[in-house]
Amino acid sequence: QVQLVESGGGLVQPGGSLRLSCAASGSIFRLYVMGWYRQAPGKQRELVATITSGGSTNYADSMKGRFTISRDNAKNTVYLQMNSLKPEDTAVYYCNLRAVGVGLDYWGQGTQVTVSS
């Protein structure tokens, strides 16, 4: 139905920046929410940011002012610009798509982000 492929993860020094990408393919839904979640070892998966098909965004408090979610509809791609990265940002970052009104969730395989000196 839908495939999500993340890219852009890697190793970065504290204070550095990374730009994650998530390319979607397959079924197209009229109403949807796409977002980024992350999961660190021993912790639950947590919300990073979301963006609706209408362009409304939502951020977790700890990410406000540092991370920016955006989309390119022509490329069916959502981005996460991460600035001022901290060691505590180290986690596997997952792309998510939810089809509103259908109750369907799709997840990417995840991309590792490591913030270390």
Side-chain angles (χ1 to χ4, degrees):
Q1 296 272 49
V2 173
Q3 289 186 322
L4 304 173
V5 181
E6 303 102 330
S7 62
L11 175 64
V12 65
Q13 297 184 40
S17 299
L18 281 176
R19 180 180 171 90
L20 305 183
S21 299
C22 175
S25 62
S27 299
I28 299 175
F29 300 96
R30 296 177 182 178
L31 300 176
Y32 66 90
V33 178
M34 293 190 70
W36 291 95
Y37 295 74
R38 69 184 186 186
Q39 187 167 22
K43 297 183 178 180
Q44 291 186 304
R45 188 172 298 185
E46 65 175 342
L47 168 73
V48 175
T50 61
I51 185 166
T52 69
S53 53
S56 298
T57 58
N58 180 54
Y59 298 90
D61 287 342
S62 62
M63 267 64 83
K64 290 180 180 178
R66 298 193 300 123
F67 293 3
T68 302
I69 189 169
S70 62
R71 73 181 194 278
D72 185 335
N73 290 335
K75 297 181 179 180
N76 292 323
T77 300
V78 64
Y79 304 95
L80 183 69
Q81 179 67 46
M82 304 186 294
N83 299 324
S84 302
L85 284 164
K86 306 173 182 178
E88 51 262 44
D89 293 319
T90 297
V92 177
Y93 285 70
Y94 297 92
C95 181
N96 168 264
L97 184 151
R98 168 162 288 185
V100 179
V102 184
L104 296 176
D105 266 315
Y106 301 92
W107 294 90
Q109 294 296 315
T111 184
Q112 177 71 47
V113 172
T114 302
V115 185
S116 176
S117 298

